[in-house]
Amino acid sequence: MTIDLSSPLAAILPDPLASLTAQPADALLGLIALHRADPRPGKIDLGVGVFRDDSGRTPVMHSVKAAEARLIDTQDSKSYLGAEGDVAYTEALAAVVFGGHASHDRLTGVQTPGGTGALRLGAELLARANRAARVWIGTPTWPNHGPIFAEAGLETRSHRFFDPITASIDFAAMIEDLAEARAGDVLLLHGCCHNPTGVSFSRDQWRALADLCAARGLIPFVDLAYQGLGDGLTDDAAATRMIFDALPTALLAYSCDKNFGLYRDRVGALWVQSSSAATAGSVRSNVLTLARSLWSMPPDHGAALVRIILEDETLRAQWEAELNVMRARINGLRQALAAADSRLSTIAAQRGMFAMLPLSTNAIATLREDHGIYMAPNGRINIAGLHTETVPTFVQALLPHLDAAEEAR
Ligand code: PMP
């Protein structure tokens, strides 16, 4: 049936969707289009948060390609799996994430569409358990964090933790802000490789945060999206493991999209630890019903690849070796940036793909227009977008703006 929009009826009936207001376009996606349209050969893309190799590509990992070939050869059905996704995937991944701390009856995990799906599913669970819970999120953070919790109906609160002038942690400010947190509130924590700042809490600060959660009845929700890209698989999971050991109730949103290079295949998992096995049972049933209404079942392909890699000794060793090369590349570039100018020295000790530069909106625009250097509007750079050969060009273009930023203070 076609509707005649010129009919008198169409004219009097209000458009039920007219109440929607247009939303701003995603700034980072806009940057991709601008970068693509830039004809300058020396342009440098530090915007989008994907790993890049020495030749500027984001390749499919060899271990993933091999697993893909095996999957195509052996997969004999694409029938539905279920809301929990691939159970063997979640189990194999739990060993990577939690190590020996993985298997107990208070911990329940399900496959999700990426880390984003895990965060949203966790947010929905928390909202269902307690609508009054507020979610404390450090500023700055990954821009999707706030909307994910807000769309699930939870109030979000910001706390300080980062000093942009020294590009380091301001723990006293964080503790001061968290004094307002109430029992039952949620504390969102980046497990490693903070996006966008690259800074990490010390072991003592993590311990203090665990103590704070325990003393005040806060629920830690760890977001671990870059395991293996900071200091290695075990070190990058240390804070998560400590939090899960220290507290009866904790959540973890995990992404395999960076450390397996599976971005568009959307591979993640949510784990929820409860204070008792009985609660864990009802948590699981709630997680599954929520997942069912959100996406019914997660996409299988990427998770099947992760399972194949983790279950096969050779593929697993190959994946770890590839991950080591990625990490070494990022950390090597961090060293090169830090060595180029003392004002960038903090970048060496930071971890993960990102760092935040104290640049004005004007400086960010000038770097793009005059030098073809693209970065996120908040001054976040993707370190992996650099190359040892482009570091000097980048730093040379950057320094006058760092000088100006210093003068403005
Ligand atoms: N958390 C953080 C901190 C991230 O940076 C990202 C991805 N940019 C995610 C979660 C979501 O990852 P995914 O692409 O797997 O949804």
Side-chain angles (χ1 to χ4, degrees):
M1 190 185 90
T2 51
I3 296 167
D4 179 6
L5 288 176
S6 62
S7 79
L9 196 60
I12 25 172
L13 284 177
D15 178 350
L17 301 184
S19 61
L20 295 171
T21 52
Q23 300 294 304
D26 186 291
L28 271 182
L29 298 184
L31 217 56
I32 300 181
L34 277 180
H35 177 262
R36 200 172 289 148
D38 188 337
R40 288 172 286 187
K43 62 187 176 177
I44 301 176
D45 180 12
L46 309 180
V48 180
V50 296
F51 177 79
R52 295 191 194 281
D53 67 11
D54 256 349
S55 54
R57 293 180 324 117
T58 305
V60 180
M61 293 168 86
H62 296 292
S63 47
V64 166
K65 275 280 184 209
E68 231 153 17
R70 202 176 291 182
L71 182 65
I72 286 168
D73 258 8
T74 56
Q75 191 172 53
D76 55 8
S77 173
K78 286 190 183 287
S79 165
Y80 294 124
L81 277 181
E84 70 269 54
D86 183 332
V87 175
Y89 150 83
T90 315
E91 273 172 17
L93 192 60
V96 176
V97 182
F98 295 103
H101 313 229
S103 67
H104 59 76
D105 57 8
R106 295 185 294 109
L107 187 65
T108 182
V110 295
Q111 185 197 326
T112 58
T116 307
L119 284 162
R120 181 62 188 259
L121 185 56
E124 296 284 345
L125 180 79
L126 290 163
R128 190 181 263 189
N130 176 15
R131 283 253 152 232
R134 298 156 332 157
V135 184
W136 290 85
I137 305 179
T139 309
T141 193
W142 180 47
N144 215 7
H145 274 147
I148 287 172
F149 288 97
E151 294 292 351
L154 290 170
E155 184 186 337
T156 57
R157 289 288 181 104
S158 300
H159 68 77
R160 293 167 293 163
F161 80 100
F162 178 68
D163 177 356
I165 313 255
T166 57
S168 59
I169 300 261
D170 185 349
F171 201 63
M174 177 167 178
I175 298 298
E176 193 181 312
D177 289 352
L178 288 176
E180 271 190 52
R182 300 188 297 233
D185 280 0
V186 177
L187 179 59
L188 183 72
L189 295 161
H190 297 227
C192 71
C193 304
H194 189 274
N195 178 6
T197 67
V199 296
S200 318
F201 296 121
S202 68
R203 202 192 283 235
D204 286 349
Q205 287 168 338
W206 273 110
R207 173 54 60 192
L209 290 173
D211 290 348
L212 180 91
C213 288
R216 305 275 302 286
L218 311 183
I219 304 170
F221 192 161
V222 182
D223 180 2
L224 190 56
Y226 299 91
Q227 190 189 4
L229 288 164
D231 288 309
L233 284 171
T234 308
D235 284 355
D236 291 348
T240 303
R241 293 177 190 180
M242 189 277 290
I243 290 283
F244 272 69
D245 281 346
L247 289 143
T249 303
L251 283 81
L252 173 66
Y254 191 90
S255 173
C256 295
D257 291 326
K258 320 292 154 68
N259 55 4
F260 285 84
L262 285 166
Y263 311 90
R264 69 176 70 160
D265 281 336
R266 316 300 305 129
V267 192
L270 172 73
W271 279 278
V272 185
Q273 177 169 276
S274 318
S275 61
S276 71
T279 308
S282 59
V283 162
R284 185 166 186 85
S285 67
N286 276 277
V287 163
L288 293 178
T289 53
L290 287 167
R292 194 85 175 95
S293 67
L294 285 165
W295 46 73
S296 185
M297 298 169 201
D300 176 66
H301 184 79
L305 304 178
V306 171
R307 168 178 47 78
I308 290 169
I309 291 170
L310 294 181
E311 285 179 348
D312 181 282
E313 219 175 291
T314 313
L315 286 182
R316 187 187 168 122
Q318 189 183 16
W319 166 64
E320 285 194 26
E322 290 182 275
L323 187 58
N324 290 345
V325 170
M326 289 160 72
R327 180 174 66 252
R329 175 162 202 281
I330 295 169
N331 288 340
L333 285 163
R334 285 190 172 281
Q335 298 288 345
L337 276 171
D341 189 86
S342 62
R343 276 163 296 177
L344 299 173
S345 64
T346 46
I347 291 181
Q350 296 169 0
R351 284 294 175 268
M353 292 206 295
F354 307 112
M356 279 269 283
L357 300 174
L359 297 172
S360 66
T361 313
N362 272 347
I364 292 165
T366 308
L367 284 167
R368 187 173 65 239
E369 284 154 18
D370 295 357
H371 300 277
I373 295 171
Y374 290 75
M375 66 179 72
N378 60 357
R380 184 194 83 170
I381 56 166
N382 174 12
I383 308 261
L386 286 165
H387 192 281
T388 29
E389 280 153 29
T390 56
V391 166
T393 323
F394 170 63
V395 173
Q396 211 178 3
L398 182 66
L399 288 185
H401 299 288
L402 289 183
D403 286 339
E406 248 170 44
E407 272 164 31
R409 283 202 283 274

